[in-house]
């Protein structure tokens, strides 16, 4: 737990186009354990939103229950937040999004929250292609209830208490691709150079964007033998390629070493630029993305980076054909058909 | 032999004009519903009060299903035990169908097959009509043969019971508007039934329909449709639901009317969202998410769904989020009898979810109230920032009822409750989401996205202080819980007020009822009054109980509480919430899955 947060800010902190410093994207002081991976992800969210010039009050942060689900309090204090019930963030996010299509919806969940109690909701929010960023802070363990194995723990992974997990893991990224998620990426909380560009691309994606982020639990699952520890993640992360998020109009300047450089232009003209490490993988082909994940798994590696993207998805509002004006802004003049029509309706029941 | 019996005069000789019960025994899935509806509607169009009830199985095809119609010119339209006329189209249920006819009653059957001696009773009159043979001879298409068999018996009944042929034609015309081709074969089938009666039986019977002018401007509509229309008028824009009998037709009605009256004229887009969720957890979660974000939202379900929604209802109560839940009650517990009625979710609704929770519950009795209360529930939810549970039931929801017409005041505006705009926020020094500024327990809220730097807050199911900050401080927790009670007390005088059947106290004894018990209770009161028993009466329309409810209860010594559940649930609520002495509250109960009857009530009062 971080007890002290310096209130002194350097007067010349850089400002974004809205005139905000990154401090204006922060939340309240985290009460998570010092070194918890989740805190690094919060920091990355702050940075991504700051760099993208997002108006903080145009964001809604939603979560379920768990240490991970507490994090929305720790970023974007000027956004409305909703810490709901265990495993049910997707439903609340769906309703919220239906009410107002104009906000950016960032959902945070844990591996227990998503892969166990909330598995049904996880699956169905993907099917609906809700326009949101869904971040699973995946530590392979139930942090908040003190260290039980979660459904994403690898077979043979050893808990801090010494028990060996006998069950195969649920691979949320493959599952998301399989179910038709339109943006799927994987990352590691300790790799902010990769995480921030991926978050920015996810935020700009006009459909369901899933980010599965390995996020070690220092208190209950960071021991040798755990496959969700810092050490394991560092040693076994295999990257689809270093990614850079290139905003609209910015010239691409980053220079890469050898290998193939791929640029994926996103829907609004911004781009994700890759230095691809795996030639058989094509991020716009679901089968190749799933194969790449499975090949990495066989090598005991965790494949990180962008895995799959469908650049022109049909999100829920398009599917439902809802009005251009957000539903929460419609008033009685539009919503109430009036008494004359009601009298016609009565006539049909006579 | 049988037909000669039928030609004999009525066995009782009594005349029953506009006062009888006729029951149709059909096989589920054979298209009898529209023929039976035609029968009912024709009587309605003759100006005679009538009400049908579907008694159907939890099955799509093959099992017995009944349609029971009570005709009563005095307007007593609750269910009545005993059948005066049985139309038996189902060999499977023949035994019980013969048995339930009252002595002196009638039995119409398909004589294409010989009627076994075991079905013959001496005290009832039989009408054998070779419906199947007639239909086969007149129609070629197998589906038509099946369907028109039903229409032929409606034709026969119209002659026997003196139903005007023009009334039937009239109903067909409105039923098949746009599909006029279908009218003439229907009329042909009706005529075949009439002709058969003319040739073979004496008619009309003493039991018959005669034109009256008693229906006036009433409509005949089911409660679920009325709820769906109410949600459109009440301004619901998000409906998330999961199919379950008997609630399904509520969201479906909302969608049907919204798809007509909620389409943007320029873009053709929908001014509403209609989402079938993956389960009830998700359905209520979506409704809550939408309510939090400033849309009027609802879900509809029945008992098993309410059980699943409990955790979320507690969240909405504690985090103070408006949401409307329409519960069309069916017979519980568990899956119970999914296609039978009951009022057994009362306790569950009032205190849904763990911890100290109390909810606002509305009890509509008629389709008109289904419409009014549904529309009003969106105002109440937003004004009180809490779930509103509207408790209808299968009887009200899925059966057509004669009802006052629906009405809307075009000057009425939506009451959106205490919501702060960006301008409001500018003027406020220190916004506290859970501050009781006005002393009524209702705090102010903001919609996400309102102001760049003011008014944002964190919604949670965990304990918080007045500024929505997480806290485990005992005093802050308690203060918040106490404020929620203040809010609950405020609600007492905002919810629909009870109906009193007298201007001033006439008796120390009273009868109290709610929801669909209205029909049987009013009839029972009438009968008892004729027998010299005068009681005061109150119909409760909502929970929590208002001061007027409490005063009424306190000013009577003996109170019969009529309910359609085993455990006298509303009585318990009265005891708990108003501290009423249990000895003075006498339960009058019916919980067999069938709508309560006046006889049920009278037998338990005397
Ligand atoms: C209905 C319900 N069941 C159980 C719990 C207890 N619970 C709280 S958090 C949690 C697990 C959280 O694990 P995860 O989602 O992985 O989050 P982490 O703490 O690891 O970040 C459980 C079981 C609960 N809050 N609600
Ligand atoms: S218990 Fe684990 S997951 Fe929870 S805050 Fe501590 S380190 Fe993070
Ligand atoms: Mg976890």
């Amino acid at each position: 737990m971080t007890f002290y947060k310096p209130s002194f800010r350097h007067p010349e902190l850089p400002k974004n186009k809205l005139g905000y410093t990154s401090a204006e994207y922060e939340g309240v002081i985290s009460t998570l354990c010092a070194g918890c991976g989740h805190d690094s992800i919060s920091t990355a969210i702050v940075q991504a939103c700051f760099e993208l010039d997002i108006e903080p009050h145009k964001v809604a942060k939603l979560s379920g229950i768990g240490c991970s689900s507490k994090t929305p309090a720790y970023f974007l204090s000027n956004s409305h937040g909703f810490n709901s019930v265990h495993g049910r963030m997707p439903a609340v996010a769906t309703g919220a999004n239906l009410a107002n299509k104009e906000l950016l919806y960032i959902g945070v969940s844990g591996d227990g929250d998503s892969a166990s109690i909330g598995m049904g909701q996880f699956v169905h929010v993907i099917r609906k292609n809700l326009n949101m960023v869904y971040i699973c802070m995946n530590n392979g363990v139930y942090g908040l209830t003190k260290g039980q194995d979660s459904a994403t723990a690898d077979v043979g992974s050893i808990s801090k208490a010494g028990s060996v997990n006998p069950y195969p893991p649920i691979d949320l990224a493959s599952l998301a691709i399989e179910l038709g998620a339109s943006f799927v990426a994987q990352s590691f909380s300790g790799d902010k150079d990769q995480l921030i560009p991926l978050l920015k691309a996810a935020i700009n994606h006009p459909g369901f964007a899933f980010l599965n982020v390995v996020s070690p639990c220092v208190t209950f699952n960071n021991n040798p033998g755990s496959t969700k520890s810092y050490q394991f993640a560092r040693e076994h992360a295999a990257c689809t390629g270093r990614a850079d998020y290139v905003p609209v109009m910015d010239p691409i300047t980053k220079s890469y070493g050898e290998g193939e450089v791929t640029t994926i232009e996103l829907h609004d003209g911004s781009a994700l630029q890759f230095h691809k490490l795996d030639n058989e993988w094509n991020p716009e082909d679901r089968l190749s993305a799933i194969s790449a994940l499975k090949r990495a798994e066989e090598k005991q590696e965790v494949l990180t980076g962008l895995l799959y993207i469908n650049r022109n998805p049909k999100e829920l509002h398009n599917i439902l054909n809802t009005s251009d004006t957000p539903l929460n802004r419609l008033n009685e003049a539009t919503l109430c058909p009036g008494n004359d029509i009601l009298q016609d309706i009565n006539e049909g029941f006579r | 032999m049988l037909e000669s019996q039928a030609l004999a005069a009525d066995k009782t000789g009594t005349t029953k004009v506009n006062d009888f019960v006729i029951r149709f025994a059909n096989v589920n899935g054979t298209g009898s519903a529209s023929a039976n509806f035609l029968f009912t509607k024709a009587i309605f169009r003759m100006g005679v009060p009538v009400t049908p009830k579907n008694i159907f199985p939890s099955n799509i095809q093959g099992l017995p299903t009944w349609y029971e119609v009570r005709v009563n010119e005095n307007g007593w339209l609750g269910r009545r035990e005993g059948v005066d006329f049985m139309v038996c189209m189902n060999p499977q249920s023949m035994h019980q169908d013969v048995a339930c006819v009252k002595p002196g009653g009638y039995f119409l059957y398909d004589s294409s097959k010989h009627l076994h001696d075991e079905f013959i009773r001496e005290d009832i009159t039989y009408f054998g009509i070779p419906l199947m043979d007639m239909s086969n001879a007149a129609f070629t298409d197998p589906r038509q043969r099946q369907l028109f068999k039903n229409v032929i018996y409606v034709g026969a009944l119209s002659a026997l019971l003196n139903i005007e042929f023009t009334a039937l034609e009239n109903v067909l015309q409105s039923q098949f508007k746009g599909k006029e081709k279908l009218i003439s074969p229907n009329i042909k089938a009706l005529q075949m039934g009439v002709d058969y009666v003319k040739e073979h039986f004496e008619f009309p019977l003493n039991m018959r329909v005669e034109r009256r002018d008693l229906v006036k401007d009433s409509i005949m509509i089911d409660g679920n449709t009325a709820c769906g229309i109410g949600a459109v008028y009440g301004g619901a824009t998000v409906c998330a639901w999961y199919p379950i009998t008997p609630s399904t037709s509520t969201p479906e009605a909302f969608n049907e009317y919204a798809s007509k009256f909620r389409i943007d004229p320029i873009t053709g887009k929908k001014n509403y969202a209609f989402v079938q969720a993956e389960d009830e957890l998700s359905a209520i979660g979506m409704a809550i998410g939408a309510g939090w974000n400033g849309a009027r939202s609802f879900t509809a379900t029945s008992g098993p769904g309410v059980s699943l929604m409990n955790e979320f209802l507690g969240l909405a109560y504690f985090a103070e989020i408006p949401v409307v839940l329409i519960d069309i009650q069916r017979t519980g517990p568990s899956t119970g009898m999914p296609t039978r009625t009951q009022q057994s979710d009362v306790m569950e609704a009032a205190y849904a979810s763990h911890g100290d929770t109390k909810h606002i519950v509305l009890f509509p009795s008629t389709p008109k109230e289904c419409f009014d209360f549904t529309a009003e529930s969106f105002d109440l939810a937003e004004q009180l920032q809490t779930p509103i549970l509207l408790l209808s039931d299968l009887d009200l929801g899925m059966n057509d009822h004669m009802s006052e017409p629906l009405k809307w005041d075009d000057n009425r505006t939506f009451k959106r409750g205490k919501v702060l705009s960006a301008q409001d926020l500018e003027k406020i020094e220190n916004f506290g989401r859970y501050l009781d500024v006005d002393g009524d327990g209702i705090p102010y809220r903001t919609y996400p996205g309102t102001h760049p730097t003011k008014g944002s807050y964190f919604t949670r199911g965990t304990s918080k202080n007045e500024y929505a900050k997480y806290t485990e401080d005992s005093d802050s927790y308690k203060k918040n819980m106490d404020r929620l009670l203040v809010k609950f007390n405020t609600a007492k005088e905002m919810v629909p007020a009870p109906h009193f059947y007298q201007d001033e106290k006439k008796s120390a004894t009273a009868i109290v009822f709610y929801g669909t018990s209205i029909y049987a209770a009013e009839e029972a009161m009438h009968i008892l009054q004729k027998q010299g028993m005068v009681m005061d009466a109150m119909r409760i329309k909502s929970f929590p109980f208002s001061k007027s409810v409490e005063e009424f209860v306190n000013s009577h010594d003996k109170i019969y509480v009529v309910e359609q559940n085993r455990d006298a649930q509303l009585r318990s609520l009265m005891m708990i919430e108003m501290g009423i002495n249990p000895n003075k509250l006498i339960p009058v109960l019916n919980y067999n899955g069938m709508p309560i009857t006046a006889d049920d009530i009278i037998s338990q009062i005397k």
Side-chain angles (χ1 to χ4, degrees), chain A residues 156-180:
Chain A
S157 183
I158 303 165
S159 78
K160 197 179 172 195
S163 64
V164 181
N165 172 39
Y167 305 111
I170 291 173
D171 174 1
L172 292 173
S174 301
L175 183 65
I177 297 171
E178 159 71 29
L179 290 165

Side-chain angles (χ1 to χ4, degrees), chain A residues 32-33 36 38 67 139 143-144 216-220:
Chain A
L32 301 181
C33 307
C36 174
H38 302 348
C67 296
N139 53 15
L144 195 58
C217 168
V218 289
T219 306
F220 297 112

